[in-house]
Amino acid sequence: MASVVTARPHLPRALALPSTARKLLFRCSAASTMDAPSASSDGSEKKTTTVFVAGSTGRTGKRVVEKLLAKGFGVVAGTTDVDRARGSLPQDSNLQLVRADVTEGADKLVEAVRGVDAVICATGFRRSFDPFAPWKVDNFGTVNLVEACRKAGVTRFILISSILVNGAAMGQLLNPAYIVLNLLGLTLVAKLQAENHIRKSGINYTIVRPGGLTDQPPTGNIVMEPEDTLYSGSISREQVAEVAVEALLCPEEASFKVVEIVARADAPNRPLKDMFAAIKQN
């Protein structure tokens, strides 16, 4: 797989070890750099937690990349168009650009994710005349990425999905949002199938289901609820990215959970760590 590096993040020797010899050392209150055995005599070297972002040039994925970099993570930005990514993503010494197309199969994705500590999947199909596009990206594409992680030994996976994916079981078949989104190639059904695969994969996951996505700055505080609870509402992509990144920083509170999020002007401003902790583990 071809890759283009604009600025290579620090990738320590520990990442070259077999997956069984590596550990994710995320801590909620810690910064995103962690102490590691140093090759230097002064012991000053740090291990940078590195995250692969699928869909990095999308409107949500770009915000995920920016928030990860702001917190000091190393980022491997997966993209189908490296030139586009180079022009739209930040210039940062902790950012690496890699060509990665989730629709091309798990084997081609393995090298893109090999050596990273976690994956955030922010992919989404682009509207086209292909009626199978939602399934190619939102179902099979996500499954390919999960399987690539399993082959490469990556054990932490964050998926950005959508509320109402399980609308049929929630009695929301006549919900206008459920109807409209499924008119585009049964998009929500495709997303639900991908979620089900993740939950059976054995990978430590957090599935984030946002309401309707807006490109505007946040206008309210985040509300987080258990799965199959919310059937309306919207939220800024900025806040969705914030929740996805926070899921990495709070593994004890966020692991093996499906959460649904919207923003409301009258909601209290609560720490995301506390919100994750309040959701019952699946």
Side-chain angles (χ1 to χ4, degrees):
M1 177 177 294
S3 65
V4 176
V5 178
T6 57
R8 183 179 299 276
H10 173 63
L11 298 177
R13 291 183 180 180
L15 296 182
L17 295 174
S19 59
T20 53
R22 301 198 303 265
K23 295 181 180 179
L24 289 177
L25 301 174
F26 299 115
R27 292 176 182 166
C28 287
S29 59
S32 58
T33 55
M34 298 170 287
D35 290 326
S38 176
S40 62
S41 58
D42 61 4
S44 61
E45 187 176 340
K46 296 287 187 179
K47 175 185 181 297
T48 301
T49 303
T50 306
V51 183
F52 177 87
V53 179
S56 62
T57 58
R59 288 180 290 174
T60 302
K62 180 180 178 181
R63 290 168 169 85
V64 170
V65 170
E66 290 169 348
K67 288 191 176 296
L68 287 169
L69 292 173
K71 289 183 177 293
F73 286 93
V75 178
V76 178
T79 176
T80 58
D81 188 335
V82 171
D83 289 335
R84 178 187 176 196
R86 187 182 295 112
S88 64
L89 294 177
Q91 298 295 313
D92 193 287
S93 60
N94 283 330
L95 176 64
Q96 176 182 352
L97 304 182
V98 176
R99 188 188 180 281
D101 187 339
V102 297
T103 68
E104 292 181 350
D107 290 340
K108 290 188 177 182
L109 290 169
V110 170
E111 289 307 312
V113 302
R114 192 183 302 280
V116 304
D117 297 292
V119 166
I120 295 179
C121 181
T123 55
F125 82 99
R126 294 177 183 174
R127 294 186 183 184
S128 68
F129 292 108
D130 184 357
F132 300 105
W135 287 83
K136 291 177 181 178
V137 177
D138 294 300
N139 181 10
F140 302 128
T142 302
V143 169
N144 288 338
L145 190 56
V146 171
E147 290 308 301
C149 287
R150 292 176 65 178
K151 292 180 179 183
V154 181
T155 58
R156 189 76 174 97
F157 196 98
I158 313 296
L159 173 67
I160 299 175
S161 182
S162 173
I163 64 171
L164 285 174
V165 292
N166 204 22
M170 295 169 64
Q172 294 295 315
L173 282 173
L174 298 181
N175 186 311
Y178 186 78
I179 294 171
V180 169
L181 288 172
N182 277 321
L183 283 176
L184 301 173
L186 296 176
T187 304
L188 293 179
V189 178
K191 288 179 180 290
L192 180 62
Q193 294 302 311
E195 286 189 14
N196 290 338
H197 183 84
I198 293 171
R199 295 167 83 152
K200 296 175 183 177
S201 69
I203 287 179
N204 182 336
Y205 65 84
T206 304
I207 297 172
V208 180
R209 295 177 177 174
L213 298 172
T214 72
D215 294 311
Q216 304 303 316
T219 57
N221 291 321
I222 296 171
V223 174
M224 184 181 292
E225 298 290 348
E227 62 181 307
D228 300 341
T229 301
L230 299 175
Y231 53 86
S232 65
S234 62
I235 187 167
S236 168
R237 294 179 190 273
E238 194 80 15
Q239 292 170 306
V240 175
E242 181 183 353
V243 172
V245 173
E246 190 68 18
L248 293 178
L249 295 171
C250 298
E252 294 183 7
E253 291 79 11
S255 292
F256 299 104
K257 292 184 178 181
V258 180
V259 301
E260 299 188 340
I261 55 173
V262 294
R264 294 175 183 158
D266 59 349
N269 186 9
R270 299 175 56 205
L272 286 171
K273 175 183 176 182
D274 294 347
M275 293 189 198
F276 276 120
I279 303 296
K280 184 178 179 181
Q281 182 172 315
N282 295 299

